Amino acid sequence: QVQLEESGGGLVQAGGSLRLSCAASGRTFSDLTMGWFRQAPGKEREFVATINWSGGRTVYEDSVKGRFTISRDNAKNKVYLQMNSLKPEDTAVYYCAADRSGVWPRRERRAYDYWGQGTQVTVSS
């Protein structure tokens, strides 16, 4: 089992920045592919970014490329999402997820085995 806990969400003006963190426990963190997803009101949960076990590979959803950066610190069992140039359409609950399969890359929600509770990000115009 893996427990995931997100933090760092909040309210920010358009053009601003936020850094989300996700702390993992319960399993060797460096075995896991980590991802960030988001869900806006009335919409499906969608892929944002993923990072492989070493941090050497990343994949982003097109709308966040160049604005968001996913990273991880295996010594601290944490994964991060740095979000810059935020837009109102980035408003959503952001979820951290873990995939134990080792398959790369994984964009599908169903591919991830463990999920956090989510953190709200609200971007005002």
Side-chain angles (χ1 to χ4, degrees), residues 38-118:
R38 65 186 180 186
Q39 188 167 15
K43 295 188 176 182
E44 296 285 319
R45 192 173 299 187
E46 65 174 4
F47 168 79
V48 175
T50 184
I51 188 166
N52 76 329
W53 67 273
S54 70
R57 296 182 178 182
T58 58
V59 173
Y60 296 92
E61 193 268 331
D62 285 347
S63 70
V64 307
K65 284 181 182 177
R67 300 189 298 123
F68 290 11
T69 302
I70 188 171
S71 62
R72 66 190 295 161
D73 185 337
N74 287 345
K76 294 183 178 180
N77 288 0
K78 287 190 174 181
V79 62
Y80 306 98
L81 187 68
Q82 177 67 43
M83 305 186 295
N84 299 329
S85 302
L86 282 161
K87 303 176 181 180
E89 51 264 45
D90 295 317
T91 295
V93 177
Y94 282 71
Y95 296 90
C96 173
D99 169 22
R100 60 187 177 182
S101 73
V103 176
W104 176 261
R106 303 292 288 270
R107 295 173 175 259
E108 305 83 7
R109 176 182 174 181
R110 65 179 183 271
Y112 287 77
D113 305 293
Y114 306 104
W115 293 84
Q117 293 299 306

